[in-house]
Coordinates of all heavy atoms in Angstrom, one line a residue:
M1 N 49.8 -92.9 129.9 CA 51.0 -92.1 129.7 C 50.8 -90.8 130.6 O 49.7 -90.3 130.6 CB 51.1 -91.8 128.2 CG 52.0 -90.7 127.9 SD 52.3 -90.3 126.2 CE 50.7 -90.1 125.5
N2 N 51.8 -90.4 131.2 CA 51.8 -89.1 131.9 C 52.1 -88.0 130.9 O 52.8 -88.2 129.9 CB 52.9 -89.1 133.0 CG 52.4 -90.0 134.2 OD1 51.2 -90.3 134.3 ND2 53.4 -90.4 135.0
A3 N 51.6 -86.8 131.2 CA 51.8 -85.7 130.3 C 53.3 -85.3 130.1 O 53.6 -84.9 129.0 CB 51.0 -84.5 130.8
A4 N 54.1 -85.5 131.1 CA 55.5 -85.2 131.0 C 56.2 -86.1 130.0 O 57.3 -85.8 129.5 CB 56.2 -85.2 132.3
N5 N 55.6 -87.3 129.8 CA 56.2 -88.3 128.8 C 55.6 -88.2 127.4 O 56.0 -89.0 126.6 CB 56.1 -89.7 129.4 CG 56.8 -89.9 130.7 OD1 57.8 -89.2 131.0 ND2 56.2 -90.7 131.6
A6 N 54.7 -87.3 127.2 CA 54.1 -87.1 125.9 C 55.1 -86.6 124.9 O 56.1 -86.0 125.3 CB 52.9 -86.2 126.0
P7 N 54.8 -86.8 123.6 CA 55.7 -86.3 122.6 C 56.0 -84.8 122.7 O 55.1 -84.0 123.1 CB 55.0 -86.6 121.3 CG 54.1 -87.7 121.6 CD 53.7 -87.5 123.0
V8 N 57.1 -84.4 122.4 CA 57.5 -82.9 122.4 C 57.9 -82.5 121.0 O 58.1 -83.4 120.1 CB 58.6 -82.6 123.4 CG1 58.1 -82.9 124.8 CG2 59.9 -83.5 123.1
L9 N 58.1 -81.3 120.7 CA 58.5 -80.7 119.5 C 59.7 -81.4 119.0 O 60.7 -81.6 119.7 CB 58.7 -79.2 119.6 CG 59.1 -78.5 118.3 CD1 57.9 -78.6 117.3 CD2 59.4 -77.1 118.5
G10 N 59.7 -82.0 117.8 CA 60.8 -82.7 117.3 C 60.6 -84.2 117.3 O 61.3 -84.9 116.5
D11 N 59.7 -84.7 118.1 CA 59.4 -86.1 118.1 C 58.6 -86.5 116.9 O 57.8 -85.6 116.4 CB 58.6 -86.5 119.3 CG 59.4 -86.6 120.6 OD1 60.7 -86.7 120.5 OD2 58.9 -86.7 121.7
P12 N 58.7 -87.7 116.4 CA 57.9 -88.1 115.2 C 56.4 -88.0 115.4 O 55.7 -87.8 114.5 CB 58.4 -89.5 114.9 CG 59.6 -89.7 115.6 CD 59.6 -88.7 116.8
N13 N 55.9 -88.2 116.6 CA 54.5 -88.2 116.9 C 54.0 -86.9 117.4 O 52.8 -86.7 117.8 CB 54.2 -89.3 117.9 CG 54.4 -90.6 117.4 OD1 54.2 -90.9 116.2 ND2 54.9 -91.5 118.2
W14 N 54.9 -85.8 117.4 CA 54.5 -84.5 117.9 C 53.2 -83.9 117.2 O 52.3 -83.5 117.9 CB 55.6 -83.5 117.8 CG 55.2 -82.1 118.0 CD1 55.2 -81.1 117.1 CD2 54.7 -81.5 119.2 NE1 54.8 -79.9 117.7 CE2 54.5 -80.2 119.0 CE3 54.5 -82.0 120.5 CZ2 54.0 -79.3 119.9 CZ3 54.0 -81.1 121.5 CH2 53.7 -79.8 121.2
N15 N 53.2 -83.9 115.9 CA 52.1 -83.3 115.2 C 50.8 -84.0 115.5 O 49.7 -83.3 115.7 CB 52.3 -83.2 113.7 CG 53.4 -82.2 113.3 OD1 53.5 -81.2 114.0 ND2 54.1 -82.4 112.2
R16 N 50.8 -85.3 115.5 CA 49.6 -86.1 115.8 C 49.1 -85.8 117.3 O 47.9 -85.6 117.5 CB 49.8 -87.6 115.6 CG 48.5 -88.4 115.7 CD 48.7 -89.8 115.4 NE 49.6 -90.4 116.3 CZ 50.4 -91.4 116.1 NH1 50.5 -91.9 114.9 NH2 51.2 -91.9 117.0
Y17 N 50.0 -85.8 118.2 CA 49.7 -85.5 119.6 C 49.1 -84.1 119.8 O 48.1 -83.9 120.4 CB 50.9 -85.7 120.5 CG 50.7 -85.2 121.9 CD1 49.9 -86.0 122.8 CD2 51.3 -84.1 122.4 CE1 49.7 -85.5 124.1 CE2 51.1 -83.7 123.7 CZ 50.3 -84.4 124.5 OH 50.1 -84.0 125.8
R18 N 49.8 -83.1 119.2 CA 49.3 -81.7 119.2 C 47.9 -81.6 118.6 O 47.1 -80.9 119.2 CB 50.3 -80.8 118.5 CG 49.9 -79.3 118.7 CD 50.8 -78.4 117.9 NE 50.5 -78.7 116.5 CZ 51.3 -78.5 115.5 NH1 52.5 -78.0 115.7 NH2 51.0 -78.8 114.3
A19 N 47.7 -82.3 117.5 CA 46.4 -82.2 116.9 C 45.3 -82.8 117.7 O 44.2 -82.3 117.8 CB 46.4 -82.9 115.5
R20 N 45.6 -83.9 118.4 CA 44.7 -84.5 119.4 C 44.3 -83.6 120.5 O 43.2 -83.5 120.9 CB 45.2 -85.9 119.9 CG 45.2 -87.0 119.0 CD 45.7 -88.3 119.6 NE 45.0 -88.6 120.8 CZ 45.6 -89.1 121.9 NH1 46.9 -89.4 121.9 NH2 44.9 -89.4 123.0
V21 N 45.3 -83.0 121.1 CA 45.1 -82.0 122.2 C 44.3 -80.9 121.7 O 43.3 -80.5 122.3 CB 46.4 -81.5 122.8 CG1 46.2 -80.4 123.8 CG2 47.2 -82.7 123.4
A22 N 44.6 -80.4 120.5 CA 43.8 -79.2 119.9 C 42.3 -79.6 119.7 O 41.4 -78.9 120.0 CB 44.4 -78.7 118.6
A23 N 42.1 -80.8 119.2 CA 40.7 -81.3 118.9 C 39.9 -81.5 120.2 O 38.8 -81.0 120.3 CB 40.8 -82.6 118.2
V24 N 40.6 -82.0 121.2 CA 39.9 -82.2 122.5 C 39.6 -80.9 123.2 O 38.6 -80.6 123.7 CB 40.7 -83.1 123.4 CG1 40.2 -83.1 124.9 CG2 40.7 -84.6 122.9
L25 N 40.6 -80.0 123.1 CA 40.5 -78.6 123.6 C 39.3 -77.9 123.0 O 38.5 -77.2 123.6 CB 41.8 -77.9 123.5 CG 41.9 -76.5 124.1 CD1 41.5 -76.5 125.5 CD2 43.3 -75.9 123.8
T26 N 39.2 -78.0 121.7 CA 38.1 -77.4 120.9 C 36.8 -78.0 121.4 O 35.8 -77.2 121.6 CB 38.3 -77.6 119.4 OG1 39.5 -77.0 119.0 CG2 37.2 -77.0 118.6
D27 N 36.7 -79.3 121.6 CA 35.5 -79.9 122.1 C 35.1 -79.4 123.4 O 33.9 -79.1 123.7 CB 35.6 -81.4 122.1 CG 35.6 -82.0 120.7 OD1 35.2 -81.4 119.7 OD2 36.0 -83.2 120.6
V28 N 36.1 -79.3 124.3 CA 35.8 -78.8 125.7 C 35.3 -77.3 125.6 O 34.4 -77.0 126.3 CB 37.1 -78.9 126.6 CG1 36.9 -78.2 127.9 CG2 37.4 -80.3 126.8
E29 N 36.0 -76.5 124.8 CA 35.6 -75.1 124.7 C 34.1 -75.0 124.2 O 33.3 -74.2 124.7 CB 36.5 -74.3 123.7 CG 37.9 -74.0 124.3 CD 37.9 -72.8 125.3 OE1 36.8 -72.1 125.4 OE2 38.9 -72.6 125.9
A30 N 33.8 -75.8 123.1 CA 32.5 -75.7 122.6 C 31.4 -76.2 123.6 O 30.4 -75.6 123.8 CB 32.4 -76.6 121.4
D31 N 31.8 -77.3 124.3 CA 30.9 -77.8 125.4 C 30.7 -76.8 126.5 O 29.5 -76.6 126.9 CB 31.5 -79.1 125.9 CG 30.6 -79.8 126.8 OD1 29.3 -79.7 126.7 OD2 31.1 -80.6 127.7
M32 N 31.7 -76.1 126.9 CA 31.6 -75.2 128.0 C 30.8 -73.9 127.5 O 29.9 -73.4 128.3 CB 32.9 -74.7 128.5 CG 33.7 -75.8 129.2 SD 32.9 -76.4 130.7 CE 32.5 -78.1 130.2
Q33 N 31.0 -73.5 126.3 CA 30.2 -72.3 125.8 C 28.7 -72.7 125.7 O 27.9 -71.9 126.0 CB 30.8 -71.9 124.4 CG 32.1 -71.1 124.6 CD 32.6 -70.6 123.3 OE1 31.8 -70.5 122.3 NE2 33.8 -70.2 123.2
Q34 N 28.4 -73.9 125.2 CA 27.0 -74.3 125.0 C 26.3 -74.4 126.4 O 25.2 -74.0 126.5 CB 26.9 -75.6 124.3 CG 27.1 -75.5 122.8 CD 26.9 -76.8 122.1 OE1 27.0 -77.9 122.7 NE2 26.5 -76.7 120.9
R35 N 27.0 -74.8 127.4 CA 26.5 -74.9 128.7 C 26.5 -73.6 129.5 O 25.9 -73.5 130.5 CB 27.2 -76.0 129.5 CG 27.1 -77.4 128.9 CD 28.0 -78.3 129.6 NE 27.9 -79.6 129.0 CZ 27.8 -80.7 129.7 NH1 27.7 -80.7 131.0 NH2 27.8 -81.9 129.0
G36 N 27.2 -72.6 129.0 CA 27.3 -71.4 129.6 C 28.2 -71.4 130.8 O 28.1 -70.5 131.7
Y37 N 29.2 -72.3 130.8 CA 30.2 -72.4 131.8 C 31.5 -71.8 131.4 O 31.7 -71.7 130.2 CB 30.4 -73.8 132.2 CG 29.3 -74.6 132.8 CD1 29.1 -76.0 132.5 CD2 28.3 -74.0 133.6 CE1 28.1 -76.7 133.0 CE2 27.3 -74.7 134.1 CZ 27.1 -76.1 133.8 OH 26.1 -76.8 134.3
G38 N 32.3 -71.5 132.3 CA 33.7 -71.1 132.0 C 34.7 -72.0 132.8 O 34.3 -72.4 133.9
L39 N 35.8 -72.2 132.3 CA 36.8 -73.0 133.0 C 38.1 -72.1 133.1 O 38.5 -71.5 132.2 CB 37.2 -74.3 132.3 CG 36.2 -75.4 132.4 CD1 36.7 -76.6 131.6 CD2 36.1 -75.9 133.9
S40 N 38.7 -72.2 134.3 CA 40.0 -71.5 134.4 C 41.0 -72.4 133.6 O 40.7 -73.5 133.1 CB 40.4 -71.5 135.9 OG 40.7 -72.9 136.3
G41 N 42.2 -71.8 133.4 CA 43.2 -72.5 132.7 C 43.6 -73.9 133.4 O 43.8 -74.9 132.7
E42 N 43.5 -73.9 134.7 CA 43.8 -75.1 135.4 C 42.7 -76.1 135.2 O 42.9 -77.3 134.9 CB 44.0 -74.8 136.9 CG 45.2 -74.0 137.2 CD 45.2 -73.5 138.7 OE1 44.1 -73.6 139.4 OE2 46.2 -73.0 139.1
G43 N 41.4 -75.7 135.3 CA 40.3 -76.6 135.1 C 40.3 -77.1 133.6 O 40.0 -78.3 133.4
L44 N 40.6 -76.3 132.7 CA 40.6 -76.7 131.3 C 41.7 -77.7 131.1 O 41.5 -78.7 130.4 CB 40.9 -75.5 130.4 CG 40.7 -75.6 128.9 CD1 39.3 -76.1 128.6 CD2 41.0 -74.3 128.2
T45 N 42.9 -77.5 131.7 CA 44.0 -78.5 131.6 C 43.6 -79.8 132.1 O 43.9 -80.9 131.5 CB 45.3 -77.9 132.3 OG1 45.6 -76.7 131.7 CG2 46.4 -78.9 132.2
L46 N 43.0 -79.8 133.3 CA 42.6 -81.1 133.9 C 41.5 -81.8 133.1 O 41.5 -83.0 132.9 CB 42.1 -80.8 135.3 CG 43.2 -80.4 136.3 CD1 42.6 -80.1 137.6 CD2 44.2 -81.5 136.4
E47 N 40.6 -81.0 132.5 CA 39.5 -81.6 131.6 C 40.1 -82.2 130.4 O 39.8 -83.3 129.9 CB 38.5 -80.6 131.2 CG 37.3 -81.1 130.4 CD 36.4 -82.0 131.2 OE1 36.4 -82.0 132.4 OE2 35.8 -82.9 130.5
V48 N 41.1 -81.6 129.8 CA 41.8 -82.1 128.6 C 42.5 -83.4 129.0 O 42.5 -84.4 128.3 CB 42.7 -81.1 128.0 CG1 43.7 -81.7 126.9 CG2 41.9 -79.9 127.3
A49 N 43.2 -83.4 130.1 CA 44.0 -84.5 130.6 C 43.0 -85.7 130.8 O 43.3 -86.8 130.4 CB 44.7 -84.2 131.9
E50 N 41.9 -85.5 131.4 CA 40.9 -86.5 131.6 C 40.4 -87.1 130.3 O 40.3 -88.3 130.1 CB 39.7 -86.0 132.4 CG 38.7 -87.1 132.7 CD 37.5 -86.5 133.5 OE1 37.8 -85.6 134.4 OE2 36.4 -87.0 133.3
R51 N 40.0 -86.3 129.3 CA 39.5 -86.7 128.0 C 40.6 -87.5 127.2 O 40.2 -88.3 126.4 CB 38.9 -85.6 127.2 CG 37.6 -85.1 127.9 CD 36.9 -84.1 127.0 NE 35.8 -83.5 127.7 CZ 34.8 -82.8 127.1 NH1 34.9 -82.7 125.8 NH2 33.9 -82.3 127.8
L52 N 41.8 -87.1 127.4 CA 42.9 -87.8 126.7 C 43.5 -89.0 127.5 O 44.4 -89.6 127.0 CB 44.0 -86.8 126.3 CG 43.7 -85.8 125.3 CD1 44.9 -84.8 125.1 CD2 43.5 -86.5 123.9
S53 N 43.0 -89.2 128.7 CA 43.6 -90.2 129.6 C 45.0 -90.0 129.8 O 45.8 -90.9 129.9 CB 43.3 -91.6 129.0 OG 41.9 -91.8 128.9
L54 N 45.4 -88.7 130.0 CA 46.8 -88.4 130.4 C 46.9 -88.3 131.9 O 46.1 -87.6 132.5 CB 47.2 -87.1 129.7 CG 47.5 -87.1 128.2 CD1 47.8 -85.7 127.8 CD2 48.7 -88.0 127.9
G55 N 48.0 -88.8 132.4 CA 48.2 -88.7 133.8 C 48.8 -87.3 134.1 O 49.7 -86.9 133.4
V56 N 48.4 -86.7 135.2 CA 48.9 -85.4 135.6 C 49.2 -85.6 137.2 O 48.7 -84.8 138.0 CB 48.0 -84.2 135.3 CG1 48.1 -83.8 133.9 CG2 46.6 -84.4 135.8
A57 N 50.0 -86.6 137.5 CA 50.3 -86.9 138.9 C 51.3 -86.0 139.5 O 51.3 -85.9 140.8 CB 50.7 -88.4 139.0
T58 N 52.1 -85.4 138.7 CA 53.1 -84.5 139.3 C 53.0 -83.1 138.8 O 52.2 -82.8 137.8 CB 54.5 -85.0 138.9 OG1 54.7 -84.8 137.5 CG2 54.8 -86.5 139.3
A59 N 53.6 -82.2 139.5 CA 53.6 -80.8 139.1 C 54.2 -80.6 137.7 O 53.7 -79.8 136.8 CB 54.4 -79.9 140.0
E60 N 55.2 -81.4 137.3 CA 55.8 -81.4 136.0 C 54.8 -81.8 134.9 O 54.7 -81.2 133.9 CB 57.1 -82.2 135.9 CG 57.7 -82.2 134.6 CD 58.9 -83.1 134.4 OE1 59.1 -84.0 135.4 OE2 59.6 -83.1 133.4
D61 N 54.1 -82.9 135.2 CA 53.0 -83.3 134.3 C 52.0 -82.2 134.0 O 51.7 -81.9 132.8 CB 52.3 -84.5 134.8 CG 53.1 -85.8 134.9 OD1 54.0 -86.0 134.0 OD2 52.8 -86.6 135.7
F62 N 51.6 -81.6 135.1 CA 50.6 -80.5 134.9 C 51.1 -79.4 134.1 O 50.5 -78.8 133.2 CB 50.1 -80.1 136.3 CG 49.0 -79.1 136.2 CD1 47.7 -79.4 135.9 CD2 49.3 -77.7 136.3 CE1 46.7 -78.5 135.8 CE2 48.3 -76.8 136.2 CZ 47.0 -77.2 135.9
Q63 N 52.3 -78.9 134.5 CA 52.9 -77.8 133.8 C 53.2 -78.0 132.3 O 52.9 -77.1 131.5 CB 54.3 -77.4 134.5 CG 54.1 -76.8 135.9 CD 55.4 -76.7 136.6 OE1 56.4 -77.2 136.2 NE2 55.3 -76.0 137.8
V64 N 53.6 -79.2 132.0 CA 53.8 -79.5 130.5 C 52.5 -79.4 129.7 O 52.4 -78.8 128.7 CB 54.5 -80.9 130.4 CG1 54.4 -81.4 129.0 CG2 55.9 -80.9 130.9
L65 N 51.5 -80.0 130.3 CA 50.2 -80.0 129.6 C 49.6 -78.6 129.6 O 49.0 -78.2 128.6 CB 49.2 -81.0 130.2 CG 47.9 -81.2 129.5 CD1 48.1 -81.6 128.0 CD2 47.0 -82.2 130.2
E66 N 49.7 -77.9 130.7 CA 49.1 -76.6 130.8 C 49.7 -75.6 129.8 O 49.0 -74.8 129.2 CB 49.3 -76.0 132.2 CG 48.7 -74.7 132.4 CD 49.0 -74.1 133.8 OE1 50.1 -74.3 134.4 OE2 48.1 -73.4 134.3
A67 N 51.1 -75.8 129.6 CA 51.7 -74.9 128.6 C 51.2 -75.2 127.2 O 50.9 -74.2 126.4 CB 53.2 -75.2 128.6
L68 N 50.9 -76.4 126.9 CA 50.4 -76.8 125.6 C 48.9 -76.3 125.4 O 48.6 -75.7 124.4 CB 50.5 -78.3 125.3 CG 50.0 -78.8 123.9 CD1 50.8 -78.1 122.8 CD2 50.2 -80.3 123.8
V69 N 48.2 -76.5 126.5 CA 46.8 -76.0 126.5 C 46.7 -74.5 126.3 O 45.9 -73.9 125.5 CB 46.0 -76.4 127.8 CG1 44.7 -75.7 127.9 CG2 45.8 -77.9 127.7
K70 N 47.6 -73.7 127.0 CA 47.6 -72.3 126.9 C 48.0 -71.9 125.4 O 47.4 -70.9 124.9 CB 48.6 -71.7 127.8 CG 48.1 -71.6 129.3 CD 49.2 -70.9 130.1 CE 48.7 -70.8 131.6 NZ 49.7 -70.2 132.4
A71 N 48.9 -72.6 124.8 CA 49.4 -72.3 123.5 C 48.3 -72.5 122.5 O 48.1 -71.8 121.5 CB 50.6 -73.0 123.1
L72 N 47.5 -73.6 122.7 CA 46.5 -74.0 121.7 C 45.1 -73.4 122.0 O 44.2 -73.5 121.1 CB 46.3 -75.5 121.7 CG 47.6 -76.3 121.2 CD1 47.3 -77.8 121.4 CD2 47.9 -76.0 119.8
R73 N 44.9 -72.8 123.1 CA 43.5 -72.3 123.4 C 43.0 -71.2 122.4 O 41.9 -71.3 122.0 CB 43.5 -71.7 124.8 CG 42.1 -71.5 125.3 CD 42.0 -71.2 126.8 NE 40.7 -71.2 127.2 CZ 40.3 -70.9 128.5 NH1 41.2 -70.6 129.4 NH2 39.0 -71.0 128.8
P74 N 43.8 -70.3 121.9 CA 43.3 -69.3 120.9 C 42.9 -70.1 119.6 O 41.9 -69.7 119.0 CB 44.5 -68.4 120.7 CG 45.4 -68.5 121.9 CD 45.2 -69.9 122.4
I75 N 43.6 -71.1 119.3 CA 43.2 -71.9 118.1 C 41.9 -72.6 118.3 O 41.0 -72.6 117.4 CB 44.4 -72.9 117.8 CG1 45.6 -72.2 117.4 CG2 43.9 -73.9 116.7 CD1 46.9 -73.0 117.3
A76 N 41.7 -73.2 119.5 CA 40.4 -73.8 119.8 C 39.3 -72.8 119.8 O 38.2 -73.1 119.3 CB 40.5 -74.5 121.2
R77 N 39.5 -71.7 120.4 CA 38.5 -70.6 120.4 C 38.1 -70.2 119.0 O 36.9 -69.9 118.7 CB 38.9 -69.5 121.3 CG 38.8 -69.8 122.8 CD 39.1 -68.6 123.6 NE 38.8 -68.9 125.0 CZ 39.1 -68.2 126.0 NH1 39.8 -67.0 125.8 NH2 38.8 -68.5 127.2
E78 N 39.1 -70.0 118.2 CA 38.8 -69.6 116.8 C 38.1 -70.7 116.1 O 37.1 -70.4 115.3 CB 40.1 -69.3 116.1 CG 40.0 -69.0 114.6 CD 39.1 -67.8 114.3 OE1 38.9 -66.9 115.2 OE2 38.6 -67.7 113.2
A79 N 38.4 -72.0 116.3 CA 37.6 -73.1 115.7 C 36.2 -73.1 116.1 O 35.3 -73.3 115.3 CB 38.3 -74.4 116.0
V80 N 35.9 -72.8 117.4 CA 34.6 -72.8 117.9 C 33.8 -71.6 117.3 O 32.7 -71.7 116.8 CB 34.6 -72.6 119.4 CG1 33.2 -72.3 120.0 CG2 35.1 -73.9 120.1
R81 N 34.5 -70.4 117.2 CA 33.9 -69.3 116.5 C 33.5 -69.5 115.1 O 32.4 -69.3 114.6 CB 34.8 -68.0 116.6 CG 34.1 -66.8 116.1 CD 35.1 -65.7 115.7 NE 36.0 -66.1 114.7 CZ 35.7 -66.2 113.4 NH1 34.5 -66.0 113.0 NH2 36.6 -66.6 112.5
A82 N 34.5 -70.1 114.3 CA 34.2 -70.4 112.9 C 33.1 -71.4 112.8 O 32.3 -71.3 111.9 CB 35.5 -71.0 112.3
T83 N 33.0 -72.4 113.6 CA 32.0 -73.4 113.6 C 30.6 -72.8 113.8 O 29.6 -73.0 113.2 CB 32.2 -74.5 114.6 OG1 33.4 -75.2 114.3 CG2 31.1 -75.6 114.6
R84 N 30.6 -71.9 114.8 CA 29.4 -71.2 115.1 C 28.9 -70.4 113.9 O 27.7 -70.4 113.6 CB 29.6 -70.2 116.3 CG 28.3 -69.6 116.8 CD 28.4 -68.6 117.9 NE 29.2 -69.2 119.0 CZ 30.4 -68.7 119.5 NH1 30.9 -67.7 118.9 NH2 31.0 -69.3 120.5
E85 N 29.8 -69.7 113.3 CA 29.4 -68.9 112.1 C 29.0 -69.8 110.9 O 28.0 -69.5 110.2 CB 30.6 -68.0 111.6 CG 30.8 -66.8 112.5 CD 31.9 -65.9 112.0 OE1 32.4 -66.1 110.9 OE2 32.2 -64.9 112.7
D86 N 29.7 -70.9 110.7 CA 29.4 -71.7 109.6 C 28.1 -72.5 109.7 O 27.4 -72.8 108.8 CB 30.5 -72.8 109.4 CG 31.8 -72.1 108.9 OD1 31.8 -71.0 108.4 OD2 32.9 -72.8 108.9
H87 N 27.7 -72.8 111.0 CA 26.6 -73.6 111.3 C 25.4 -72.8 112.0 O 24.6 -73.5 112.6 CB 27.0 -74.8 112.0 CG 27.9 -75.7 111.3 ND1 27.6 -76.5 110.3 CD2 29.3 -75.8 111.5 CE1 28.7 -77.1 109.8 NE2 29.7 -76.7 110.5
G88 N 25.5 -71.6 112.0 CA 24.5 -70.8 112.6 C 24.3 -71.0 114.0 O 23.2 -71.0 114.5
G89 N 25.4 -71.2 114.7 CA 25.3 -71.5 116.2 C 25.1 -72.9 116.6 O 25.1 -73.2 117.8
Q90 N 25.0 -73.8 115.6 CA 24.8 -75.2 116.0 C 26.1 -75.9 116.0 O 27.0 -75.8 115.2 CB 23.9 -75.9 114.9 CG 22.5 -75.2 114.8 CD 21.8 -75.3 116.1 OE1 21.7 -76.4 116.7 NE2 21.2 -74.2 116.6
F91 N 26.3 -76.8 117.0 CA 27.5 -77.6 117.2 C 27.1 -79.0 117.2 O 26.1 -79.4 117.7 CB 28.2 -77.2 118.5 CG 28.8 -75.9 118.6 CD1 28.0 -74.8 119.0 CD2 30.0 -75.6 118.1 CE1 28.5 -73.5 119.1 CE2 30.5 -74.3 118.2 CZ 29.7 -73.3 118.7
T92 N 28.1 -79.8 116.8 CA 28.0 -81.3 117.0 C 28.8 -81.6 118.2 O 30.1 -81.4 118.2 CB 28.5 -82.1 115.8 OG1 27.7 -81.7 114.7 CG2 28.3 -83.5 116.0
L93 N 28.2 -82.1 119.3 CA 29.0 -82.5 120.5 C 29.5 -83.9 120.3 O 28.7 -84.8 120.1 CB 28.2 -82.3 121.8 CG 27.8 -80.9 122.2 CD1 27.0 -81.0 123.5 CD2 29.1 -80.1 122.5
L94 N 30.8 -84.1 120.5 CA 31.4 -85.4 120.5 C 31.4 -85.9 121.9 O 32.2 -85.4 122.7 CB 32.7 -85.4 119.8 CG 32.8 -84.9 118.4 CD1 34.3 -84.8 117.9 CD2 32.0 -85.8 117.5
L95 N 30.6 -86.8 122.2 CA 30.6 -87.4 123.6 C 31.6 -88.5 123.7 O 31.4 -89.5 123.0 CB 29.2 -87.8 124.0 CG 28.1 -86.8 123.9 CD1 26.8 -87.3 124.2 CD2 28.5 -85.6 124.9
L96 N 32.7 -88.3 124.4 CA 33.7 -89.3 124.5 C 33.5 -90.2 125.6 O 33.0 -90.0 126.6 CB 35.1 -88.6 124.7 CG 35.4 -87.6 123.6 CD1 36.7 -86.9 124.0 CD2 35.6 -88.3 122.3

């Protein structure tokens, strides 16, 4: 599936899709923090697309996914922060 064809607000599968993107984004953020790396918004979008097997073949595909990643990034960062506090800095990495 290409990112431009993914569910949008109002679709029956929107909440499930958004939750999947948020979970993958949180995993990427945790992984990057543990490794001491940083990703630009573009790099993060492409990493999320790869982990979700979403196609980003066109500019529209990229822009649609990038907008969702930008909107969900603060939520992912908060989830990583909360996990760090709850587990004393220890994370469980989900290797996909």
Side-chain angles (χ1 to χ4, degrees):
M1 165 175 55
N2 286 340
N5 298 330
V8 295
L9 186 62
D11 284 345
N13 294 324
W14 165 248
N15 286 333
R16 187 173 66 212
Y17 172 70
R18 186 188 66 205
R20 283 183 53 222
V21 172
V24 168
L25 182 57
T26 301
D27 288 344
V28 171
E29 285 282 350
D31 190 24
M32 292 300 111
Q33 285 185 18
Q34 283 186 334
R35 295 173 186 226
Y37 298 146
L39 282 177
S40 66
E42 293 169 350
L44 191 59
T45 300
L46 292 174
E47 183 66 26
V48 169
E50 182 180 326
R51 291 188 186 198
L52 287 173
S53 299
L54 284 175
V56 285
T58 66
E60 181 186 7
D61 288 331
F62 183 81
Q63 289 170 349
V64 166
L65 184 57
E66 182 182 37
L68 184 55
V69 166
K70 282 181 180 179
L72 294 175
R73 195 168 191 184
I75 295 167
R77 285 185 170 170
E78 176 59 21
V80 170
R81 185 201 62 75
T83 300
R84 185 182 311 119
E85 284 184 7
D86 291 346
H87 299 284
Q90 301 298 312
F91 294 90
T92 301
L93 289 180
L94 300 176
L95 301 176
L96 304 175

